[in-house]
Amino acid sequence: MLKPKALAKALQQANTSGVRNTVLLNSEGSLLAFAGEDDRDAKVRAAISSSIWLTYEKVGKQLWPPGQIRQMILPCMDGSVIITKVPGGLLCLFCSKGVGLGMLRLKANKLADYLDQPLSSLST
């Protein structure tokens, strides 16, 4: 069972070394959990991330077999965002400029792996 405090703590642990915000959203783009510096724009960031993901997924169906897109890194004006598919939704990490994309990807993958089993039990 996924407990809210444990989820918030897990998301917060990713917010080091330039990662400013970590967001978990459902498949419709609604904010499920947030950890980070400023939560004023968390819902907007979640909606934009979900919209981008769904657009790439829709276009990707024409190019690749379904389910092939699992992660994407996008440059932003003030840094980068990595969007990772997790059971039942998306995990987004927003970082400052200068953060190594390899380290960002490693953090996203480790957090997604950690959340995989609890989120799988929720989405079934």
Side-chain angles (χ1 to χ4, degrees):
M1 183 68 180
L2 190 60
K3 297 181 181 178
K5 286 185 180 181
L7 176 58
K9 185 177 179 181
L11 296 180
Q12 186 62 42
Q13 287 178 347
N15 294 341
T16 60
S17 303
V19 176
R20 296 188 320 259
N21 300 309
T22 305
V23 179
L24 181 65
L25 32 138
N26 68 12
S27 55
E28 289 83 37
S30 297
L31 186 66
L32 296 177
F34 170 84
E37 296 174 356
D38 184 16
D39 65 351
R40 286 181 297 164
D41 298 329
K43 288 182 182 180
V44 174
R45 290 176 188 238
I48 292 170
S49 298
S50 176
S51 178
I52 291 170
W53 180 271
L54 291 174
T55 301
Y56 272 86
E57 202 170 52
K58 185 178 179 179
V59 171
K61 286 180 183 178
Q62 299 168 5
L63 303 172
W64 302 288
Q68 286 295 106
I69 300 175
R70 293 189 183 98
Q71 190 173 64
M72 64 179 70
I73 300 175
L74 303 168
C76 300
M77 286 178 41
D78 59 346
S80 299
V81 60
I82 185 166
I83 307 171
T84 304
K85 182 78 173 151
V86 294
L90 299 171
L91 174 68
C92 305
L93 279 74
F94 297 88
C95 71
S96 306
K97 287 184 178 182
V99 173
L101 297 181
M103 185 56 69
L104 181 62
R105 188 164 186 239
L106 179 67
K107 284 184 178 196
N109 289 341
K110 291 292 182 181
L111 185 54
D113 289 345
Y114 177 78
L115 296 173
D116 186 68
Q117 193 277 329
L119 292 176
S120 294
S121 65
L122 287 178
S123 62
T124 56

